[in-house]
Structure formats: C-alpha cells, structure tokens
Amino acid sequence: MTQQKTSIHGLWSSRLIFILAAVGSAVGLGNIWKFPYITGEYGGGAFVLMYLVCISLVGIPIMVAEILIGRRGRQSPIHSVPAVARESGASRGWTVIGWMGALAGFLILSFYSVIAGWALAYVGYLATGDFEQQSAEFVTNQFSSLLASPWTMAGWHSLFMILCILVVARGVHRGLEQALRLMMPLLFILLLVLVGYSLTLDSFGQGFAFLFQFNWNKLSSDAILVAMGHSFFTLSLGLGAIMAYGAYMPGNVPIGRTVFWIAGIDTTVALLAGLAIFPVVFANSMAPDAGPGLLFKTLPLAFGQMPGGTFFGALFFVMVALAAWSSAISLLEPMVAWLVEADHMSRPQATVLLGLLAWLLGLGSVLSFNHWSDLTLFGKTFFDLLDFLTANILLPLGGLLIALFVGWFMREALVRDELLGNTAPTFSYRLWRFVLSYLSPLLVLAIVVDFLLKLF
Ligand code: TRP
C-alpha cells in the first residue's frame, strides 16, 4: 500500500487542534447569520427538524467520508481524490469532486467575505454606542444605510479578505492554532450571555416555539432543499474543505467520534443563535422573515437595551468576524494547497492570487445590495444566485459524489484501514457504511429531483 504518513503542508499538532480547526471551519456565518434568517424565511420548526434530519443522515456520514479521503490521500482534494481512486482501481474521473469543490469554494468565499465585512462594520457601530436605547426603526435604518453604501461595504470586504490571505499565506496551522484556542470558547460564552438576555424577555416562549414547533404545512420543497443545502454549508461539506483539513490529521485520531463532536458543537451554536435572536424579533414585533439582515437588525437592539451592551455588543461582533475568519480560510485552503503541490507557485503567491480573484468577484455581491439590486435572474440578485447555486446545488452534488465514491468505489480495505485500524468492523461502522452508500445519496437525489420537478 502507498499510504502516506504525512503531508507536505504539515500536520495538526493534536486531536484537539484538529477538532478546533474543523469546528473553526464549520462554525461561522452559516450558524450565526444564515441559520436564523433562513429558519425565519421558511417558517421555523418544521424547517429546523428537516435540517436536523439532514445533519444526521447526510452531513455526519459524508463528513466521515471526506476526512477519510483526505487522510488517505494526504494532499489537496484535487490530488487526494485521484490518489485514492488509483489505490482503489477506480476511475480518475472522480477528480471532478476536487475541481467542482474548488469552484464552489471560490464562489462562496467571494460573498462570504462581503457578509463578514458587515460584521466588521458592526464592531465599529457597537463600540461607539450607536445603538444605546435605540428603537427597532433606528436599527433597521442603520442596516439599510450600510447596504446603500457600496464603498463602505467594499472597504470592509477588502479588510476581511486581507485577513484571510494573511493566515492562509502563513500556512493554516501556524498562527491559527493559538487564535482558535481562545476564540471558540469565548464565542460560546458570549452566545450563552445573549441567550440569557433573551430568557429575560416575555417573548422567549414565543421564540422557542417558533424554532421547535413543527408545522408541516409550512414545509415546501424549497424549504426542504434549503434545509439540506444548509446542512452541507454549515458543516463545511461538499467542496473538500474538511477533506483538505483531514489531510493534515494525525493517523491515530479516531475519525468517527471526532465527527460527532464537530457536528454536535456546530448544531448547538446554530440553535443558540436562534434562541438568542427570535425572542428579540418577537419582543419588538419584527418580522422573522427579514432575510439576510436579520442578525444585524435584531441583536444590536438587544445590546442597546442590556447593561454593558456597548462592550458585549462590540465583543460579540468581533467574535462573529473571527468565526467567519476561521471559516473563510478553509474555503481558500484546498485551492492554495493544490497550487503549491503542483509547484506552480509558492504558498504566499497562490494565496494572494486566489484571494484577489475572490475579492473581485465579491464586488458583484457588494453591488447586488445597491446599484444592481434590480438586476435579477429568476427573481434573485447576483448575491442570491451565488448563494443558491453553491449551497443548494454545488455542495449537495459534491456531497453526493463523495458518498458514492467512498460507499461504492473506494476499496473497502482502505476505508477500514483508516476507520478501524486492525480491529474488526463494529456496529457503528456497518451502520455508517449503510447510511453513506444508500440513505445519504438517495436523500440528496430525492430532494434535488423533487425541487427540480416542482420548478418545471
Ligand atoms: N461552514 C461555514 C459556515 O457555516 C462556511 C464554510 C466554510 C463552508 N468552509 C466551507 C461551507 C466549505 C461549505 C464548504 O459559516
């Protein structure tokens, strides 16, 4: 066997660091910004249930599959997939997983950086006490005026992209490891503080019910597709980000248990964000379906009313920006690692080039909130289209291919070697293999086909 013990990019220094890096990638705008607003748009409880089903039956099994391809191949996805395919006697054609992933990562990074820029802008607004004792109307207007200023947005977008380039250019695990150790626990504590505040509101029960009361009538095929797409987005699956991180995972770390931790923490953070936001929505008679601005229209209002809100508010948006940062670098890493391996250029050169291209494309998203807001296709702006195409089409498609590849084409001896070592197959191994080979691909296919059929 040609198994490689290490990668040219280095390895994570411990299991804990791998978990931190993967959680850093998974926990991001998807949890704090996107999950609440799509839950609001698609009506709450039934959507949340569907999302949890997809995390369990699609997300978790596919995350295991991604990590094990990465760790077996020990390179960027574009190189790991064909290496594992070769070892398994399968077609090189599977490399398409790597290429599609690179494209999706690039597209996501472009708009992700724009939204992360909003969070940076809000650090400033909160730190200067703009929202103290202000009305819902004031807070909403503040957000609208940010969207109306392409220059301001582009400025913050640029700053965020520079931050990403700085980390990835140095190599993901230098520098990043220290930052993550501090940041992740702090983010968690701040979310708990916010949920604590929401608990004091009379509308807490209403917010809770909105998240957890299942109303099946509200579950359209759109909603199901979006819930599934989001389970990929929030766990960073389908494009090879977790595969790239898996390539740096020490060989003795148990993959299965680690994945449960990552998915569990990610889901908890999303639900906490929902519990922090929706009571504030209802306490101020705001609409839960406010769209992408939801986070920015609600939490500043809560901070404006709580004691110490200026400090906690600024700190909270710092955390949002940091969470976005540790996610965004995982969007860049697979492509950068590939360019470095292919000897085309050095790591810093590759990072600057790709970061610059994604930054340029991001300007399209910036404009789609103002000058280009009327420029739509299927009723969607440039930003909406990118978001929809990546999260709901490209990621599920990538995930489908990964599940089929590992479930049906990768030699089982290799799979067992990574997951079990020398021990005999356990019940959980068999269950995982069954779900990955049959249930996950069928569910993804059924949901995408159902959506397409209703579209035409
Ligand atoms: N998971 C991140 C979030 O929830 C976004 C993200 C980072 C991502 N890397 C990814 C999404 C790779 C898909 C694929 O904000």
Side-chain angles (χ1 to χ4, degrees):
M1 260 174 238
T2 56
Q3 186 184 11
Q4 308 218 12
K5 291 262 180 292
T6 190
S7 112
I8 61 162
H9 312 284
L11 290 188
W12 304 109
S13 32
S14 69
R15 167 168 186 236
L16 182 68
I17 294 296
F18 174 79
I19 294 187
L20 274 177
V23 167
S25 166
V27 173
L29 296 173
N31 307 64
I32 306 169
W33 160 74
K34 192 171 179 188
F35 172 75
Y37 96 73
I38 53 180
T39 298
E41 279 181 349
Y42 291 102
F47 176 85
V48 174
L49 181 65
M50 199 54 218
Y51 155 80
L52 293 175
V53 167
C54 289
I55 293 281
S56 321
L57 294 182
V58 180
I60 290 176
I62 291 181
M63 187 183 282
V64 172
E66 270 205 32
I67 294 178
L68 89 93
I69 298 176
R71 196 164 76 176
R72 189 76 200 177
R74 288 281 185 225
Q75 298 164 73
S76 68
I78 295 177
H79 287 137
S80 281
V81 174
V84 174
R86 197 176 327 113
E87 244 191 306
S88 305
S91 155
R92 276 189 69 85
W94 290 102
T95 314
V96 67
I97 293 173
W99 287 112
M100 242 175 50
L103 174 70
F106 179 72
L107 298 179
I108 294 177
L109 180 62
S110 78
F111 68 81
Y112 203 85
S113 168
V114 174
I115 312 291
W118 296 353
L120 287 175
Y122 269 68
V123 174
Y125 299 160
L126 275 139
T128 49
D130 283 6
F131 297 114
E132 274 169 35
Q133 307 302 334
Q134 288 292 358
S135 65
E137 199 190 346
F138 177 89
V139 176
T140 303
N141 286 342
Q142 178 85 337
F143 182 69
S144 309
S145 70
L146 174 64
L147 291 196
S149 353
W151 286 105
T152 312
M153 266 205 280
W156 292 113
H157 162 53
S158 312
L159 176 63
F160 185 79
M161 196 61 90
I162 291 172
L163 291 174
C164 295
I165 291 175
L166 284 179
V167 173
V168 179
R170 295 194 61 203
V172 169
H173 24 280
R174 266 191 292 156
L176 179 69
E177 294 196 358
Q178 271 329 90
L180 284 169
R181 271 180 210 268
L182 186 74
M183 197 186 102
M184 287 317 210
L186 205 54
L187 176 71
F188 213 71
I189 293 169
L190 275 173
L191 268 176
L192 286 177
V193 170
L194 278 171
V195 174
Y197 171 79
S198 280
L199 265 170
T200 67
L201 300 173
D202 292 337
S203 55
F204 184 81
Q206 215 182 334
F208 189 88
F210 182 76
L211 273 175
F212 296 111
Q213 234 166 39
F214 308 126
N215 180 352
W216 291 112
N217 309 334
K218 288 197 178 156
L219 207 59
S220 60
S221 53
D222 273 28
I224 297 178
L225 181 75
V226 172
M228 182 192 59
H230 189 64
S231 73
F232 281 97
F233 188 87
T234 191
L235 291 178
S236 300
L237 297 178
L239 64 72
I242 292 292
M243 196 185 294
Y245 277 14
Y248 316 144
M249 188 192 207
N252 57 359
V253 174
I255 295 180
R257 254 186 300 151
T258 306
V259 165
F260 271 104
W261 273 103
I262 300 167
I265 296 174
D266 186 75
T267 306
T268 309
V269 171
L271 294 176
L272 284 179
L275 281 178
I277 288 178
F278 286 110
V280 179
V281 169
F282 295 118
N284 294 284
S285 322
M286 300 168 96
D289 59 353
L294 185 68
L295 168 72
F296 300 93
K297 292 177 188 168
T298 52
L299 291 189
L301 201 56
F303 287 121
Q305 285 154 14
M306 77 175 72
T310 298
F311 175 74
F312 284 124
L315 195 60
F316 177 79
F317 280 98
V318 169
M319 290 297 125
V320 174
L322 286 174
W325 192 16
S326 64
S327 297
I329 56 178
S330 75
L331 290 162
L332 206 48
E333 177 63 18
M335 286 180 292
V336 169
W338 166 67
L339 281 178
V340 174
E341 285 160 8
D343 256 348
H344 289 317
M345 49 186 96
S346 70
R347 180 171 269 273
Q349 285 170 333
T351 313
V352 170
L353 176 73
L354 290 167
L356 213 61
L357 288 174
W359 175 81
L360 253 174
L361 189 66
L363 295 179
S365 288
V366 166
L367 291 172
S368 76
F369 289 102
N370 35 70
H371 297 311
W372 293 357
S373 59
D374 294 332
L375 211 67
T376 58
L377 197 65
F378 307 117
K380 292 186 188 315
T381 63
F382 183 75
F383 159 77
D384 293 333
L385 273 179
L386 275 188
D387 176 37
F388 189 87
L389 176 74
T390 51
N392 303 334
I393 308 292
L394 288 178
L395 298 183
L397 199 60
L400 177 68
L401 292 175
I402 289 166
L404 292 177
F405 176 65
V406 172
W408 298 90
F409 294 88
M410 183 169 167
R411 248 189 34 229
E412 200 186 341
L414 304 185
V415 176
R416 283 199 195 178
D417 190 33
E418 287 300 326
L419 292 182
L420 301 164
N422 299 322
T423 57
T426 53
F427 171 74
S428 42
Y429 172 79
R430 292 215 177 84
L431 181 66
W432 166 76
R433 201 169 165 79
F434 172 78
V435 174
L436 184 79
S437 310
Y438 298 94
L439 231 49
S440 319
L442 279 176
L443 205 63
V444 173
L445 261 181
I447 293 174
V448 174
V449 169
D450 172 67
F451 172 79
L452 290 177
L453 286 181
K454 297 218 169 91
L455 198 62
F456 299 111

